Amino acid sequence: MEKQVFKEFLKKKGLKFTKERAVILKEVFSYHGHFDPDELLTKMRKKGLRVSKASIYRTLPLLLESGLIEEVEKIDKHAHYEHTFGHGHHDHMICMKCGKVIELFSDALEGLQEELCKKENFKGIRHVLEIRGYCKKCIGDRKIDIEGRHDRVHPTIFHR
Amino acid sequence: MEKQVFKEFLKKKGLKFTKERAVILKEVFSYHGHFDPDELLTKMRKKGLRVSKASIYRTLPLLLESGLIEEVEKIDKHAHYEHTFGHGHHDHMICMKCGKVIELFSDALEGLQEELCKKENFKGIRHVLEIRGYCKKCIGDRKIDIEGRHDRVHPTIFHR
DNA sequence: ATTGCAACTGAGAATTAGTCTCAATTTTAA
DNA sequence: TTAAAATTGAGACTAATTCTCAGTTGCAAT
Ligand SMILES: [Mn+2]
Ligand SMILES: [Mn+2]
Ligand SMILES: [Zn+2]
Ligand SMILES: [Zn+2]
């Protein structure tokens, strides 16, 4: 269970399992999809869970380092995460028109990456793959522009 | 040549090929490796090339959209780019200990991604793959920590 | 149970990266 | 040559994240 994983991780680093870290962990694992630090803070505030912005920004890197969450969608100005413990890693396709996020996983893809690492004597720990383009629906909407690459690089809508 | 590509791109969008854009383009294509907007500005200032921060921040997305540069290393708080025109796309492995960047390209990997896109009816335009881990040298340095995942998530050294 | 101390916390100041505003200037198509 | 539309630079502004520091708290050793 994620709480145990986090506790052990912290102990091994000589860090403490505080109330704040516990409640942040719980909140993060109550979500299904992607989230960002500000969302996390706002939602916790609404529920009456009191943690400071600073603690959120301090805890997320620890969760990341412990492998309990991953960073996703590094496109926007701010960070996005999702918890992966118990779900398994996956990568993303992101529509540059409507912001739709398609999750993808492929053993072949993961395997190939491992091979490539081996070839370079590199010990791969984690990775982020994001494919940007246009979803089925948006290809239909605007064929011409798509061929000509004339979209905004950064889509407006991003969360889900 | 990149100048022509950029000119045509701008014309197609109804934008102008200004002196500032020209000099930024030239500077960007004078680099070998990765760079970030602030570096770009500083280096240009040192050379007596006068462009404003605003123009740099306005031009980089255009270069990106035109396909002349790509975004890389989305880890740090700020954007990093490299020019790819005439070099070809590639992905990166980044050492979490020393910051070493290994460039990698694999037809198999690119092909597999295309397949995955097709399966989702997604029109892939570009992608970023970053594998984080430890380079050969750093594996030697600190076997124990590596197994235990006890490194900083964000390495200190990043440019090259 | 008490203690000691390093780690942690919240509040808000500070910093960083990037965006916006607007008056003056430049590009480009006619 | 002209004029509209796009662009520019300077600096104000914003958003996201980090830092500071004085007062807590967790926890390992008594
Ligand atoms: Mn996801
Ligand atoms: Mn590169
Ligand atoms: Zn779409
Ligand atoms: Zn290394």
Side-chain angles (χ1 to χ4, degrees):
Chain A
M1 186 229 215
E2 62 269 12
K3 193 163 154 184
Q4 278 317 308
V5 174
F6 197 34
K7 268 188 173 170
E8 274 175 43
F9 167 81
L10 291 171
K11 179 174 284 182
K12 214 176 285 182
K13 302 245 314 178
L15 305 178
K16 294 170 181 176
F17 184 73
T18 62
K19 295 181 207 317
E20 290 78 8
R21 284 171 183 171
V23 75
I24 290 169
L25 177 70
K26 197 174 166 192
E27 182 70 14
V28 161
F29 274 79
S30 77
Y31 301 154
H32 288 300
H34 300 180
F35 65 90
D36 64 55
D38 190 57
E39 264 171 47
L40 182 57
L41 182 60
T42 306
K43 286 185 181 169
M44 292 183 78
R45 287 271 158 86
K46 273 184 190 151
K47 293 185 188 176
L49 302 170
R50 20 185 77 268
V51 276
S52 66
K53 189 177 48 154
S55 286
I56 289 200
Y57 276 105
R58 284 168 186 142
T59 301
L60 288 172
L62 295 172
L63 289 171
L64 191 58
E65 200 185 339
S66 71
L68 290 168
I69 67 175
E70 289 193 5
E71 254 181 307
V72 291
E73 293 178 31
K74 291 166 187 263
I75 188 170
D76 228 21
K77 250 190 310 192
H78 55 270
H80 295 250
Y81 304 88
E82 70 183 328
H83 72 258
T84 44
F85 185 69
H87 293 231
H89 158 82
H90 57 260
D91 296 302
H92 299 95
M93 298 178 188
I94 303 176
C95 178
M96 294 198 288
K97 175 81 192 311
C98 72
K100 181 178 180 184
V101 175
I102 298 170
E103 310 204 323
L104 79 104
F105 179 80
S106 149
D107 277 316
L109 191 65
E110 303 288 320
L112 190 46
Q113 287 184 47
E114 271 178 44
E115 260 181 57
L116 292 165
C117 284
K118 199 164 292 174
K119 203 174 294 174
E120 301 285 350
N121 291 302
F122 188 85
K123 164 129 185 125
I125 299 289
R126 54 176 144 263
H127 68 262
V128 179
L129 168 65
E130 284 179 23
I131 305 179
R132 272 155 219 296
Y134 300 95
C135 73
K136 192 178 179 175
K137 180 175 131 308
C138 293
I139 293 173
D141 287 3
R142 48 214 311 286
K143 275 217 159 49
I144 305 141
D145 281 26
I146 288 169
E147 297 312 323
R149 271 201 180 182
H150 281 174
D151 262 282
R152 265 194 303 297
V153 172
H154 300 297
T156 310
I157 309 157
F158 247 110
H159 307 337
R160 49 150 204 171
Chain B
M1 187 231 216
E2 61 268 11
K3 194 163 157 184
Q4 278 318 306
V5 174
F6 197 34
K7 267 188 172 170
E8 274 175 41
F9 167 82
L10 291 171
K11 178 174 284 181
K12 212 175 287 180
K13 304 243 317 176
L15 305 178
K16 295 171 179 173
F17 185 72
T18 62
K19 294 183 209 315
E20 290 79 5
R21 285 173 182 168
V23 74
I24 290 169
L25 176 71
K26 196 173 168 196
E27 182 70 15
V28 162
F29 273 78
S30 77
Y31 298 156
H32 289 297
H34 301 179
F35 66 91
D36 64 56
D38 190 58
E39 264 172 49
L40 182 56
L41 182 61
T42 306
K43 286 186 180 168
M44 292 182 78
R45 287 272 159 84
K46 273 184 191 152
K47 292 185 188 174
L49 302 171
R50 19 186 77 269
V51 277
S52 65
K53 187 176 54 150
S55 286
I56 289 204
Y57 276 105
R58 285 167 185 143
T59 301
L60 288 172
L62 295 173
L63 289 171
L64 191 58
E65 200 185 338
S66 71
L68 290 168
I69 67 174
E70 290 192 6
E71 252 181 308
V72 291
E73 294 179 30
K74 291 165 186 262
I75 190 170
D76 233 15
K77 249 193 312 193
H78 56 271
H80 296 249
Y81 304 89
E82 69 182 329
H83 71 258
T84 45
F85 184 71
H87 294 232
H89 159 81
H90 57 260
D91 296 301
H92 299 96
M93 298 179 188
I94 303 177
C95 179
M96 295 198 286
K97 175 79 193 309
C98 71
K100 181 179 182 183
V101 175
I102 299 169
E103 311 203 322
L104 79 105
F105 179 80
S106 148
D107 277 316
L109 191 65
E110 303 287 320
L112 190 46
Q113 287 184 49
E114 271 178 42
E115 261 180 56
L116 292 166
C117 285
K118 199 163 290 172
K119 202 174 295 172
E120 301 285 349
N121 291 301
F122 188 86
K123 165 126 184 128
I125 300 289
R126 54 176 145 263
H127 68 262
V128 179
L129 169 64
E130 284 178 24
I131 304 178
R132 271 156 220 297
Y134 300 94
C135 73
K136 192 179 180 176
K137 179 175 130 310
C138 293
I139 292 171
D141 286 4
R142 46 214 311 288
K143 274 216 160 50
I144 304 141
D145 281 27
I146 288 169
E147 298 310 323
R149 270 200 176 183
H150 281 174
D151 261 282
R152 266 193 303 297
V153 172
H154 301 296
T156 309
I157 309 155
F158 248 110
H159 309 337
R160 51 157 201 163

